[in-house]
Amino acid sequence: MKTLSLLTRRADLSPEAFRRYYEETHCHLAIRHFPYRRYIRNYLSCEVAGLDFDCISEFQMQTGFAAKDIMQSHSRALMRDDERNFMRHDRIRVATVEESVLLDRSVAVEASVAPRHALLLSSAGLSREDFPRELKNLAQALSRDVLDLERLSLDLLTPMAGSVFPFDAVLWMQFAHSDSPRQKVIGRLPGLLAALSVETHTSSQEALERGYVSFIP
């Protein structure tokens, strides 16, 4: 199961200091104590009015590792202690994710750092069934119309207990030859709340396997 977290830097830290601590210290601690299958940090390229977070993190554990095993573990306690060094605990929000890859034209190995776009979406009154169906239909049209659209994936979110999310889904977009999404792409999406440019940091499979030591129950 994939999860997604919204993370906010401490008020006394700059976005650069927040990112540096996360990449150079915290993510290595996380990799050491959790058996990740995927671990991705998406840093907002600039502040966006109305949004109170600095990073969207994506996590997926190895098969058979249950989320309930995480929250009460000593490994999670170690992470919680370190989080106080660079982020605000009161603004951490977590959701489980139903992920759909709608388009993948990528041919190269994913870079460890790359530009991406996150379109934050509200279901806008549509049902849980109709909302992804409408987005997927639009994605098929976009894959024909936008030739440099390299990868498109949809995350449908279910907030975990105690978390209130400001959006219901994220449409992740990656372009082959452009650093900004096309206006015609944005204008056709239902329930669009914000279009974010992000710098995506992906831990490689090699780094995840090499860095993992042990999970502490």
Side-chain angles (χ1 to χ4, degrees):
M1 173 68 71
K2 175 180 171 179
T3 59
L4 183 149
S5 295
L6 304 182
L7 306 175
T8 303
R9 73 183 188 272
R10 262 182 14 190
D12 60 326
L13 295 180
S14 67
E16 293 75 18
F18 169 82
R19 182 181 315 189
R20 185 167 57 251
Y21 191 92
Y22 199 164
E23 291 301 311
E24 296 179 2
T25 302
H26 188 74
C27 76
H28 296 293
L29 181 66
I31 291 170
R32 181 180 178 86
H33 291 295
F34 290 104
Y36 289 116
R37 182 178 173 188
R38 275 194 293 174
Y39 188 15
I40 302 170
R41 287 83 58 201
N42 303 281
Y43 300 99
L44 276 62
S45 297
C46 61
E47 291 189 11
V48 177
L51 299 183
D52 62 352
F53 55 90
D54 298 277
C55 181
I56 305 174
S57 288
E58 304 168 71
F59 312 88
Q60 188 172 9
M61 297 296 175
Q62 294 292 344
T63 303
F65 195 82
K68 63 181 177 60
D69 297 330
I70 296 175
M71 301 312 295
Q72 304 304 319
S73 68
H74 187 62
S75 284
R76 178 65 192 122
L78 290 174
M79 298 299 295
R80 196 158 39 238
D81 289 343
D82 191 59
E83 286 165 356
R84 296 187 177 92
N85 292 323
F86 74 115
M87 69 172 75
R88 288 186 54 173
H89 262 195
D90 61 317
R91 288 191 182 172
I92 297 175
R93 284 149 288 179
V94 184
T96 58
V97 176
E98 179 185 333
E99 182 182 39
S100 299
V101 177
L102 308 178
L103 171 71
D104 192 351
R105 295 189 180 118
S106 57
V107 294
V109 176
E110 188 174 6
S112 59
V113 180
R116 247 195 333 172
H117 305 280
L119 307 186
L120 310 185
L121 304 163
S122 165
S123 59
L126 295 173
S127 71
R128 187 74 178 184
E129 294 76 25
D130 290 340
F131 182 47
R133 185 181 303 121
E134 184 166 344
L135 287 172
K136 289 174 184 178
N137 288 339
L138 281 171
Q140 290 180 346
L142 293 175
S143 66
R144 295 190 301 268
D145 297 344
V146 185
L147 297 180
D148 67 342
L149 183 58
E150 190 172 67
R151 198 172 194 277
L152 188 67
S153 64
L154 174 66
D155 285 352
L156 293 175
L157 310 179
T158 301
M160 296 184 70
S163 293
V164 178
F165 262 67
F167 47 90
D168 300 310
V170 185
L171 192 65
W172 298 100
M173 308 180 71
Q174 189 165 337
F175 293 88
H177 307 296
S178 172
D179 61 359
S180 60
R182 301 289 188 270
Q183 185 59 43
K184 67 177 180 179
V185 173
I186 295 176
R188 293 161 61 180
L189 291 170
L192 180 68
L193 299 174
L196 311 179
S197 295
V198 299
E199 184 177 275
T200 297
H201 292 239
T202 302
S203 295
S204 68
Q205 286 300 312
E206 180 185 0
L208 296 177
E209 293 171 6
R210 185 180 65 247
Y212 177 63
V213 176
S214 65
F215 172 74
I216 310 173

